[in-house]
Amino acid sequence: MFLANYRHANSRLVRGIHTVLGDRHASSRLASGIHTILGDKAVAICIATAFLSTPVAAEPFAYISNQLGDSVSVIDTATGNVVDTIAVPGKPAGVAVAPDGSRVYVSTPDAKGFAVVDTKKREVVASVAVNDGTLGIAVGPDGKRIYVADWYKNTVSAIDADNLQIIKTIAVGESPSGLVVSPDNRWLYVANRISNSVSQIDLKTLTVKKTAEVGTHPFGLTIDSRGERIYVANVKSDDVTVVETARMKPIATVKVNMLPYAAALALNDSRLLVTNQDDGSVSVIDTETFKEIALITVGTKPEGISTHPDDRHVYVANWFDGNVSVIDARTLKVIDTIQTGEGSRAFGQFMGK
């Protein structure tokens, strides 16, 4: 009986170590080494210690701005349920989650700025006035700065995340919308809708370094994990421009469906998913061949899109339906639909970590 229990426990130890380390062979070798050095009783002690002391990883939350409902829905991605609804006045639109998950920044066009949401208290703890046309919002990977686009004044403001004061306001193209910061925190990219361009801002000097011409009326954009390519959804030309960041030159244009709004990457940057507002679909693009490989039906007027930290599940906010579609990027199927609020927009990076 003891031998049977020991074998079962040792097997659990191997699986537990594998879960923590992620390498099957290394896990097996480590478990064998512990057994050889310490013996059966010590292994049993190790098992108890390992399993009792290993923290259970919490699933992240998705923060969905409901523009017509003046609220943000908080989705527990582990259960697929809305666990809270936070009142956010000012017609909330853009969303940016701080890297440590402690705060969510939500642009509020009617309040001429953005709201700061404390994710533990689940309430607005500050409202910051910035400009008249706030929409696109982003936060740097170090969490030290927030960037807000002004749709009317054709500028982007850099804001200190600690004191919430404007550091500098930078002139860009006409009607800046989507914003994204490079993974190394070196560059900010801005989609200028009316100018049909993307601005590259040097975050050391807070000046525009280069500008790339893209498709007609660019709106949402995303960047790969290496910071080498940005993907720009062009609303009017119904396509996506792929821009090489080193030269700030387009290297491909991929046709999608009607009114592409925003984009997200999944599966180690091998798949690009693009929301098509006018036909309730998401285009899936192979980023190696630059070909559309699937068209997935979601809700009506899909807008914001973000990828779960597992790099597989992609969340899509559907404006007209007031819900969120969850796509499995491997099977290319919708696996869940979560009711949120009126006018679910969630433009930006709305997924916690």
Side-chain angles (χ1 to χ4, degrees), residues 84-169:
D84 212 338
T85 300
I86 304 166
V88 181
K91 302 303 175 194
V95 183
V97 182
D100 65 1
S102 64
R103 288 183 168 188
V104 179
Y105 305 103
V106 185
S107 67
T108 50
D110 277 14
K112 301 181 179 181
F114 66 93
V116 181
V117 175
D118 184 307
T119 58
K120 287 186 179 178
K121 296 179 180 178
R122 289 187 182 159
E123 63 182 32
V124 174
V125 293
S127 295
V128 184
V130 183
N131 50 51
D132 292 342
T134 56
L135 176 60
I137 189 166
V139 60
D142 61 358
K144 293 182 178 179
R145 288 179 183 170
I146 307 151
Y147 304 97
V148 182
D150 186 334
W151 179 266
Y152 299 128
K153 294 183 179 177
N154 307 325
T155 60
V156 172
S157 295
I159 294 131
D160 187 301
D162 290 329
N163 60 30
L164 300 176
Q165 298 298 308
I166 296 174
I167 302 167
K168 187 176 180 180
T169 297

Side-chain angles (χ1 to χ4, degrees), residues 283-343:
S283 292
V284 184
I285 297 167
D286 183 313
T287 59
E288 184 175 345
T289 63
F290 298 132
K291 301 291 185 185
E292 184 183 76
I293 59 172
L295 188 66
I296 304 168
T297 299
V298 289
T300 309
K301 291 287 183 184
E303 295 201 349
I305 183 169
S306 276
T307 303
H308 190 283
D310 67 9
D311 198 35
R312 173 175 175 176
H313 296 98
V314 181
Y315 289 63
V316 179
N318 302 303
W319 168 272
F320 273 9
D321 290 347
N323 61 23
V324 169
S325 301
V326 183
I327 296 172
D328 185 329
R330 288 185 186 167
T331 63
L332 302 179
K333 295 183 182 300
V334 173
I335 60 169
D336 197 7
T337 300
I338 304 163
Q339 202 65 36
T340 44
E342 191 178 0

